[in-house]
Amino acid sequence: ATLAIAYAIKYEGISVNDAEKSISQQRPEVKLDQEILIKLSAWERKMEEERIAKEEEVTEIFPGLHIASFEGLSDDCISQNGIDTVIEVSHELHELLAVDIVTHIKLGEAAIEDNFNKIADKVANTRKGGGKTLICCEESTGLAATLAIAYAVKYEGISVNDAAKSISQKRPRAVLDQETLIKLSAWERKMEEERIAEEERKAEEERQAEAERKAEEERKAEEE
């Protein structure tokens, strides 16, 4: 019965303590092996540490765009993932030897339209050159992931909501910054309004050009 707890831990996500209580309730006559329980607890902690470490590694959330925890960031991590450009969100810029191009976004001032455009354009330009971009934040991976949505909205045509869902699937432990999401949604609406206004302006210019062309043709016809 004690060894059966291994399955509950690995595949059901049940802790050693909860599995032990469940077995004791269902089979009170069974005495669990305390030595094995101690080893199972150590194994459980090891698996959790490995899971967290894996989630702190670099994650590609959109093509050519990656995020990573600031604590787990290293020159080896950058070079192994072929990162060309780093966008660092922090109070002060840190030295990263593995990349030549580092864009600094000041923490506390990150969630503004200028930075949304700056981040989106930097990622897009890096991708055009065949490169990869990494966004990291010294406060939280969630903020870095949220700011990455700016690229998806501006260049991939993905809505803020759909981008947020995609990130949550790829990096479940990254808690997206809700205040920044609200500002991104407002920025998204503004860009859509500007796009529609630009399309209407071009359509009006085309109508005017067509009207002028017809008027010129009629004038020439009258002269003939």
Side-chain angles (χ1 to χ4, degrees):
T2 313
L3 290 173
I5 292 175
Y7 168 79
I9 295 170
K10 189 168 184 178
Y11 293 103
E12 298 295 332
I14 301 172
S15 69
V16 171
N17 289 337
D18 288 344
E20 181 183 0
K21 290 176 184 177
S22 177
I23 290 172
S24 296
Q25 289 172 353
Q26 295 179 50
R27 296 288 298 275
E29 74 280 5
V30 174
K31 291 184 178 181
L32 299 178
D33 189 300
Q34 295 303 308
E35 185 177 348
I36 294 177
L37 283 174
I38 292 170
K39 291 180 178 179
L40 280 168
S41 294
W43 179 60
E44 178 185 22
R45 286 193 299 273
K46 181 182 177 183
M47 284 199 301
E48 177 64 10
E49 289 169 359
E50 289 175 349
R51 183 183 66 81
I52 292 173
K54 185 176 182 181
E55 289 184 354
E56 288 179 346
E57 293 175 355
V58 174
T59 303
E60 186 174 28
I61 53 174
F62 300 112
L65 178 54
H66 303 66
I67 60 170
S69 68
F70 202 78
E71 294 79 6
L73 194 60
S74 67
D75 289 332
D76 286 343
C77 163
I78 291 170
S79 58
Q80 287 172 5
N81 287 276
I83 302 299
D84 302 279
T85 301
V86 171
I87 298 173
E88 180 185 322
V89 184
S90 60
H91 291 292
E92 300 293 337
L93 184 62
H94 296 75
E95 184 178 12
L96 295 170
L97 300 177
V99 288
D100 296 325
I101 303 173
V102 179
T103 299
H104 185 231
I105 303 292
K106 196 167 182 62
L107 191 60
E109 303 172 2
I112 59 176
E113 287 186 10
D114 284 349
N115 284 333
F116 295 158
N117 283 302
K118 187 177 183 179
I119 290 168
D121 295 346
K122 175 62 70 174
V123 175
N125 289 334
T126 302
R127 284 203 68 200
K128 283 180 183 177
K132 299 177 181 179
T133 303
L134 171 73
I135 302 179
C136 63
C137 174
E138 70 178 0
E139 186 173 272
S140 75
T141 307
L143 180 55
T146 312
L147 291 170
I149 291 174
Y151 165 75
V153 171
K154 188 170 183 177
Y155 288 99
E156 297 292 332
I158 303 173
S159 69
V160 171
N161 288 338
D162 288 344
K165 289 176 184 177
S166 177
I167 290 173
S168 295
Q169 290 173 349
K170 295 177 180 177
R171 188 87 178 218
R173 283 176 61 87
V175 180
L176 299 180
D177 187 271
Q178 295 303 308
E179 184 178 347
T180 303
L181 282 174
I182 292 170
K183 292 180 179 180
L184 279 166
S185 294
W187 176 64
E188 178 186 21
R189 288 192 299 273
K190 180 182 177 182
M191 286 199 299
E192 179 63 13
E193 289 168 359
E194 290 174 348
R195 184 188 66 79
I196 292 172
E198 179 63 14
E199 287 180 353
E200 290 176 347
R201 184 189 65 79
K202 288 181 178 179
E204 180 59 27
E205 287 180 351
E206 290 175 359
R207 284 193 293 270
Q208 289 180 359
E210 179 64 16
E212 290 173 0
R213 184 186 65 78
K214 288 182 178 179
E216 180 64 16
E217 289 177 352
E218 290 173 358
R219 184 186 64 79
K220 288 181 179 179
E222 289 175 358
E223 289 177 353
E224 292 176 355

